[in-house]
Amino acid sequence: MRPLRSFRSVFITIVALAGIATAPRMSAAPEPVSCDTAAMPAQVREMLRNKFAGWRPKQLSDMSVEDQKSWLASPSGKFCPGIAIGHFENSKDLSYAVLLLHKSEPTHGYKIIVFSKQADGDIYTSNLLELSDSEPDSALVISKVAPGKFPDLETEKSVRTTLDGVIVESLEKGAVLYYWSESHCRRIIISD
């Protein structure tokens, strides 16, 4: 009878190990979201270093724990909450939107800047979308949104965009869409 017992023991061990190998695993802590500017062209990085020397992109760590969880659970959660990259001004060239905080005092205001290539060359310019001297909300983030139809809560009409847009959002509170149309940046409130 020993061979049968031995076979049973091996069989039970194999089944148990197979169960452990296929059991659902606890999810690990989320990967840190990178706010590295390395993906930006050298000229944009140079402008950030020189023209906006006292500023830096907003990081996930600048957000409250609750706001971090909301951001990470959102469709944009795998991206930096302070950088959005998209075809904002034309379908050919990428533009770079950056939510900037003071390096030394992140609670002393913010700027949202878009860096875009000029139509007549390879030179980038910076355009200010928003500026505030007041303390930024921990939940303030920016992200790219694909072209589509968006409600304008002020006029109660809809806007159809043909290029990517920049969403400036205070998580779960309200959002503004910046979009380009006929070479002009326009702004609408899409949620409040």
Side-chain angles (χ1 to χ4, degrees):
M1 289 280 189
R2 282 196 105 200
L4 185 56
R5 245 190 235 161
S6 176
F7 176 76
R8 257 190 222 158
S9 296
V10 170
F11 180 75
I12 291 171
T13 302
I14 290 172
V15 169
L17 289 174
I20 291 170
T22 60
R25 297 175 192 250
M26 296 287 290
S27 62
E31 289 290 315
V33 175
S34 173
C35 291
D36 187 6
T37 58
M40 296 180 184
Q43 194 178 119
V44 172
R45 292 192 314 269
E46 183 80 13
M47 288 174 76
L48 281 168
R49 269 192 305 276
N50 296 331
K51 191 173 180 180
F52 303 99
W55 300 82
R56 64 168 176 79
K58 181 171 186 168
Q59 311 281 318
L60 189 65
S61 60
D62 295 315
M63 302 168 73
S64 71
V65 172
E66 187 175 302
D67 293 335
Q68 287 182 27
K69 287 178 185 175
S70 291
W71 174 255
L72 292 171
S74 76
S76 300
K78 62 185 173 191
F79 301 107
C80 175
I83 298 174
I85 301 171
H87 293 279
F88 302 133
E89 293 195 37
N90 65 63
S91 59
K92 186 179 88 170
D93 300 309
L94 287 173
S95 294
Y96 305 85
V98 186
L99 168 55
L100 296 171
L101 303 179
H102 279 281
K103 284 182 180 177
S104 59
E105 290 294 332
T107 59
H108 286 93
Y110 66 90
K111 294 180 182 186
I112 300 175
I113 308 289
V114 174
F115 298 92
S116 299
K117 199 183 275 191
Q118 289 183 341
D120 57 352
D122 286 339
I123 297 172
Y124 281 85
T125 58
S126 61
N127 297 303
L128 179 68
L129 293 186
E130 274 188 39
L131 169 67
S132 175
D133 292 330
S134 63
E135 181 175 344
D137 184 345
S138 165
L140 188 67
V141 295
I142 64 171
S143 58
K144 175 190 93 161
V145 65
K149 188 175 179 181
F150 300 92
D152 181 344
L153 295 184
E154 291 180 319
T155 65
E156 298 182 6
K157 295 180 182 179
S158 292
V159 170
R160 182 168 298 282
T161 62
T162 57
L163 296 168
D164 296 333
V166 177
I167 298 278
V168 177
E169 177 182 13
S170 184
L171 294 171
E172 300 179 15
K173 294 177 187 164
V176 172
L177 168 67
Y178 288 94
Y179 68 98
W180 282 256
S181 174
E182 299 172 11
S183 301
H184 298 303
C185 181
R186 302 178 191 284
R187 174 189 186 272
I188 61 171
I189 297 172
I190 58 172
S191 73
D192 58 1

